[in-house]
Amino acid sequence: MKEPFQRALGIIRKLKQHGYEAYFVGGAVRDYLLNRPLGDIDIATSALPEEVIKLFPKTIPVGLKHGTVVVLNDGIPYEVTTFRTEGTYEDYRRPESVTFVRSLREDLQRRDFTMNAIAMDDHGTLYDPFHGQRAISAKIICTVGKASERFSEDALRMMRAIRFVSQLGFALEMETKQAIIEHASLLAHISVERITAEFEKLMAGPFAEKAFSLLEETGLYVYLPGLREKKEPLKKLAQYDWKALSSSMERWGFLCYLLLSDQESSAFLRLWKLPNRLMKDVQHILRILPLIRSHDDWKKEQLYEFGLDYALAAETIRSLIDMEDAYSNRQRLVALFAQLPIKSRSDLAITGKDIMGWMGCPGGPWLANMLKKVERAVIQGKVENDKERIKEWLISCNLTQEKNC
């Protein structure tokens, strides 16, 4: 049993010592079987929330209504959730009620996909009543029970299914795929924030191109923000290796550059309710991309002006679109940036105060223009980044006449 499970064994064993059942469940068990890195370790138990709270000295009642208590064990938080069944779902998003039960099978039966409905006890024995291991071996994503029922309960499960395709490289089981086609419109009931969270994970998956094909094939894209009219452009997204993109900034920038005009991108990003900082970063990249048609277009002045992070993001996107080696191109940019005599205005050997002193003039718009000219001259090698040399250069170029103070 892997170390993340071992660190949580004390919780399961304490629950068992007091007569309760307890198991590892969910994504961690699935990823353990797939030999993938393990994320959060979740535990399901027959103990009621108040019984869990009594047993452990450090708990956080994060979701008592739904049976979840966070237990702190050696400083690590673990979600411990009571076995439960769920009542009728409201608006295809959430159950109107939950009922606590004492049966592991009933608890597993409410879960979305068979690969996520496997439990493991403290000895490593697996409980798999819905044949999740078989699905994992076949690399198939299929729902627990009827797919139409699972998606009618929570329509976001359709996005989760395609997100798992992106992350795992699995295929959709035929009934599951058909149910997505038939129930795609239910996604309109899901909040943009929940959809965006799944979509960002989808874009980051190593098999994102397969997922984008499925978004188009199933018609699910119609109910994603800003993509209803993008069926043909959307097909382009399945032609590229998304693994070359390493950040949300790069992925959203790539998506916008391929799908949208310059005028559409700002409104499109707002539809997804992305953080303001991320939207600004993406817009900055989109302003750079039209200026760089090949790797040879990069000049020191541009690299300095854009900054290394934005330049690398733009070059990654350009390289991917042109089917070039993004890694090598990025390395060349890093080397070019290292050659710059200054990396930012703060590296200049002078300040605006120095220039005002030399000119005997108060600050104003002229000062910002003067500093830009100095920066450009240093970058181009026209003057050494030295205080006295810059002063001499300013005088020799008669730039003192441009201050207009």
Side-chain angles (χ1 to χ4, degrees):
M1 188 177 293
K2 289 189 175 181
E3 184 182 357
F5 289 119
Q6 292 177 355
R7 289 198 294 264
L9 281 176
I11 297 175
I12 286 186
R13 288 175 177 166
K14 189 167 187 177
L15 286 163
K16 291 180 68 176
Q17 287 168 6
H18 287 79
Y20 303 111
E21 293 183 54
Y23 303 88
F24 297 115
V25 292
V29 177
R30 177 200 66 229
D31 290 340
Y32 168 66
L33 295 173
L34 286 166
N35 198 32
R36 299 178 76 231
L38 302 185
D40 294 337
I41 304 296
D42 295 331
I43 295 169
T45 180
S46 60
L48 297 173
E50 55 268 26
E51 293 169 333
V52 173
I53 291 173
K54 287 179 181 178
L55 281 180
F56 297 95
K58 295 182 179 180
T59 61
I60 306 171
V62 294
L64 293 182
K65 179 181 177 181
H66 295 98
T68 300
V69 175
V70 169
V71 174
L72 295 172
N73 185 53
D74 292 332
I76 302 173
Y78 297 93
E79 286 195 0
V80 179
T81 303
T82 302
F83 298 158
R84 72 189 194 205
T85 59
E86 296 172 339
T88 304
Y89 275 66
E90 298 176 336
D91 300 325
Y92 312 102
R93 290 179 291 186
R94 66 178 76 85
E96 63 180 15
S97 64
V98 301
T99 302
F100 300 139
V101 296
R102 299 291 186 177
S103 165
L104 172 64
R105 181 186 175 90
E106 286 187 73
D107 183 76
L108 295 176
Q109 191 170 2
R110 71 175 173 82
R111 297 175 184 267
D112 51 8
F113 307 109
T114 59
M115 64 182 183
N116 296 334
I118 306 170
M120 184 172 70
D121 69 13
D122 56 324
H123 299 293
T125 302
L126 297 171
Y127 297 83
D128 184 13
F130 304 105
H131 311 295
Q133 293 174 86
R134 184 189 303 170
I136 289 172
S137 296
K139 297 186 177 182
I140 293 291
I141 296 170
C142 55
T143 58
V144 177
K146 292 184 178 180
S148 58
E149 293 180 4
R150 296 292 81 77
F151 296 146
S152 294
E153 291 168 349
D154 184 353
L156 189 69
R157 286 170 173 167
M158 295 184 287
M159 280 295 293
R160 281 171 56 81
I162 296 180
R163 184 253 291 182
F164 281 128
V165 169
S166 177
Q167 291 181 321
L168 305 177
F170 286 12
L172 294 179
E173 181 257 347
M174 287 305 298
E175 180 189 344
T176 300
K177 182 177 180 180
Q178 186 59 35
I180 293 176
I181 293 172
E182 294 173 0
H183 294 79
S185 62
L186 298 183
L187 197 64
H189 296 277
I190 303 301
S191 70
V192 171
E193 291 84 355
R194 293 181 74 200
I195 291 173
T196 299
E198 292 296 327
F199 191 73
E200 289 207 290
K201 293 175 185 176
L202 182 157
M203 288 195 294
F207 304 95
E209 59 275 13
K210 294 180 65 173
F212 279 110
S213 288
L214 282 170
L215 287 178
E216 188 268 324
E217 290 174 31
T218 60
L220 207 58
Y221 76 94
V222 171
Y223 304 96
L224 298 181
L227 295 182
R228 176 180 289 272
E229 306 299 329
K230 301 295 181 182
K231 180 174 183 176
E232 292 306 315
L234 195 65
K235 292 179 180 179
K236 298 179 185 177
L237 301 180
Q239 300 173 7
Y240 295 95
D241 181 4
W242 283 69
K243 292 190 293 295
L245 306 168
S246 59
S247 69
S248 291
M249 177 172 65
E250 291 176 0
R251 288 186 279 269
W252 284 106
F254 180 67
L255 182 80
C256 290
Y257 193 65
L258 279 186
L259 296 188
L260 309 168
S261 68
D262 294 342
Q263 294 74 30
E264 293 177 307
S265 59
S266 179
F268 175 80
L269 293 169
R270 287 197 298 272
L271 288 175
W272 290 87
K273 297 189 177 181
L274 298 175
N276 288 334
R277 178 72 262 175
L278 177 57
M279 288 193 288
K280 289 179 181 178
D281 287 344
V282 173
Q283 293 283 56
H284 197 69
I285 293 171
L286 293 175
R287 286 191 290 269
I288 296 172
L289 281 166
L291 306 176
I292 307 297
R293 296 299 182 181
S294 76
H295 185 74
D296 294 334
D297 285 347
W298 285 104
K299 302 294 185 288
K300 288 182 178 180
E301 295 86 348
Q302 291 175 313
L303 190 52
Y304 175 82
E305 178 186 349
F306 300 148
L308 183 61
D309 289 343
Y310 290 125
L312 289 174
E315 177 58 27
T316 299
I317 293 170
R318 189 208 61 76
S319 297
L320 180 57
I321 291 172
D322 290 347
M323 303 294 185
E324 296 177 6
D325 184 347
Y327 177 78
S328 296
N329 287 343
R330 286 170 61 96
Q331 291 301 105
R332 286 197 287 271
L333 268 193
V334 170
L336 182 61
F337 188 77
Q339 297 172 15
L340 297 180
I342 57 173
K343 308 299 188 294
S344 68
R345 179 169 291 181
S346 63
D347 293 336
L348 273 179
I350 65 165
T351 66
K353 186 177 181 180
D354 292 321
I355 295 179
M356 287 189 291
W358 297 333
M359 307 304 174
C361 185
W366 69 272
L367 184 58
N369 292 332
M370 192 75 74
L371 282 168
K372 285 182 182 179
K373 289 176 181 178
V374 173
E375 285 178 291
R376 192 178 304 118
V378 171
I379 293 295
Q380 293 173 344
K382 293 180 179 179
V383 62
E384 183 182 344
N385 187 33
D386 175 82
K387 190 172 184 176
E388 289 303 316
R389 296 287 184 273
I390 292 173
K391 181 179 180 180
E392 292 171 3
W393 178 80
L394 284 171
I395 294 172
S396 67
C397 292
N398 294 318
L399 292 178
T400 56
Q401 303 303 314
E402 301 180 17
K403 60 184 181 300
N404 297 323
C405 60

